[in-house]
Amino acid sequence: MALSDLQKLFVVSTATQIWQQDLLTNAYFQGSAVGANLREMILGQQPVKPLTNPFDEAITGRLRSDSAAIRRAGKNVLEASSMVGIAASAVGTIKGVLEEMQSLAQQIKDGTLAYSVDVENQYNALRDSITPIIEGTYHNGIAVLDKSQWDTDQISADGKVHIQSLPSAVGGGGFDVVFQEMDEAGLAALDGGNLEDDPAGSLQTELDSLSTHIGDMATLEEIYSQREDGLTYQATALDSQADLLDQAVEARRQTPTLSLEEILIRLLMRDTGTLLDELS
C-alpha cells in the first residue's frame, strides 16, 4: 500500500531526527564516557547514571580540599599549643623549686631555722635539680628550654620553631613559636654557702637573686600559658571552619542539579527535536 504524503513526511522527519542526533553524538562525543551516556539517554537504550555536574564537582572538590588543609592546620596549631604548654609546665616546676629554696633562705634570715651543713646541702640539692628539668624538657625531640640543644632543623639558634599553618592559597601561611633562653648560669650560681650570713650580707644577696629568678620564671610561665591558651583557641576555631566547609560540601551533594549530560541533551533536543517525551 502506498504511503500518504503525511505518512511520508512522518517517516522522513523521524529518520532525519535520528540521523541528526546520531551525527551530533558521534561528531562531538565519540569515544568518551559522556558520549556513550548521551547516546544511551537520547535513544533510550538503557537507564544510565549521569556523570557528576562538573561545576558542582569543581566547587565541592575545592571545598573538600580547603577543609582538609584547614583541618591539618588545626592539628599543627594544636601541636604547637601542646609544645608551649610543656614549656609552661616545666618553667612552673622550676619556679616551685626556687620558691622552696627561697623559703629555706628566708627562714634562716628570720631566725626560725638555724644554718647548718645539712640545710646547705638541701638547698644545693634543690638547685641541682633545676638543670635536669631544663635539659630534659622535650616535645617530639625538641628541647624547648635548653639553648645548648638548639640550632637544629627543628628549632633555630634563637629558639624559634616554625609551625606550618594554612597554605597561602587558603589565606594563611606559617608562624613561629618562640622559646626564651633560660639563665642557666645565673641559676647555677646560687649557693647554699651564702646562707651562712656574714658581714658582707651574702644571705640577703642570695635572697635578692632568688627573688629575681622567681620573678623571671613567673613572667615566663605566664607568657607560655597565655600563648598555649591562644593557640588552643586558634586550633578550635580552625576545626570549626573545617566543619562548616564539610557541611557546605554535604549540602551541595543533596541539592539536585543538572548533570553535564542533561545540559547537553537539552541543547541537542532544542535544535533537533526528540522522539522521547519527558517521561522517556
Side-chain angles (χ1 to χ4, degrees), residues 48 58 108 129 209 211 223 227:
V48 295
I108 291 176
S129 70
S209 295
S211 295
I223 290 173
R227 185 60 167 154

mmCIF file of all heavy atoms in Angstrom, residues 48 58 108 129 209 211 223 227:
data_model
loop_
_atom_site.group_PDB
_atom_site.id
_atom_site.type_symbol
_atom_site.label_atom_id
_atom_site.label_comp_id
_atom_site.label_asym_id
_atom_site.label_seq_id
_atom_site.Cartn_x
_atom_site.Cartn_y
_atom_site.Cartn_z
ATOM 1 N N VAL A 48 20.837 5.068 32.468
ATOM 2 C CA VAL A 48 22.237 5.326 32.800
ATOM 3 C C VAL A 48 22.295 6.301 33.968
ATOM 4 O O VAL A 48 21.378 7.073 34.208
ATOM 5 C CB VAL A 48 23.004 5.919 31.600
ATOM 6 C CG1 VAL A 48 23.095 4.930 30.471
ATOM 7 C CG2 VAL A 48 22.368 7.220 31.138
ATOM 8 N N ALA A 58 33.713 20.729 40.722
ATOM 9 C CA ALA A 58 34.808 21.681 40.922
ATOM 10 C C ALA A 58 34.653 22.426 42.242
ATOM 11 O O ALA A 58 35.608 22.600 42.999
ATOM 12 C CB ALA A 58 34.858 22.675 39.762
ATOM 13 N N ILE A 108 66.114 31.139 107.559
ATOM 14 C CA ILE A 108 67.401 31.406 108.210
ATOM 15 C C ILE A 108 67.523 32.892 108.524
ATOM 16 O O ILE A 108 67.968 33.286 109.612
ATOM 17 C CB ILE A 108 68.565 30.941 107.298
ATOM 18 C CG1 ILE A 108 68.567 29.421 107.209
ATOM 19 C CG2 ILE A 108 69.902 31.444 107.836
ATOM 20 C CD1 ILE A 108 69.600 28.859 106.258
ATOM 21 N N SER A 129 68.634 20.238 91.056
ATOM 22 C CA SER A 129 67.506 19.553 90.394
ATOM 23 C C SER A 129 66.945 20.386 89.234
ATOM 24 O O SER A 129 66.167 19.881 88.423
ATOM 25 C CB SER A 129 66.397 19.269 91.407
ATOM 26 O OG SER A 129 65.751 20.471 91.828
ATOM 27 N N SER A 209 68.795 37.426 94.671
ATOM 28 C CA SER A 209 68.947 36.645 93.434
ATOM 29 C C SER A 209 67.772 35.690 93.253
ATOM 30 O O SER A 209 67.247 35.535 92.138
ATOM 31 C CB SER A 209 70.256 35.855 93.467
ATOM 32 O OG SER A 209 71.372 36.719 93.479
ATOM 33 N N SER A 211 64.724 36.081 94.403
ATOM 34 C CA SER A 211 63.542 36.860 94.048
ATOM 35 C C SER A 211 63.544 37.215 92.559
ATOM 36 O O SER A 211 62.512 37.160 91.877
ATOM 37 C CB SER A 211 63.474 38.144 94.883
ATOM 38 O OG SER A 211 63.285 37.846 96.244
ATOM 39 N N ILE A 223 53.697 33.970 80.151
ATOM 40 C CA ILE A 223 53.792 34.142 78.693
ATOM 41 C C ILE A 223 53.459 32.838 77.978
ATOM 42 O O ILE A 223 52.664 32.807 77.027
ATOM 43 C CB ILE A 223 55.206 34.624 78.304
ATOM 44 C CG1 ILE A 223 55.428 36.057 78.776
ATOM 45 C CG2 ILE A 223 55.409 34.524 76.789
ATOM 46 C CD1 ILE A 223 56.850 36.554 78.591
ATOM 47 N N ARG A 227 50.151 31.977 75.701
ATOM 48 C CA ARG A 227 50.380 31.532 74.331
ATOM 49 C C ARG A 227 49.698 30.186 74.091
ATOM 50 O O ARG A 227 49.111 29.953 73.025
ATOM 51 C CB ARG A 227 51.884 31.410 74.078
ATOM 52 C CG ARG A 227 52.262 31.065 72.645
ATOM 53 C CD ARG A 227 51.785 32.093 71.673
ATOM 54 N NE ARG A 227 52.400 31.936 70.359
ATOM 55 C CZ ARG A 227 51.847 32.339 69.226
ATOM 56 N NH1 ARG A 227 50.673 32.934 69.246
ATOM 57 N NH2 ARG A 227 52.468 32.170 68.082
#
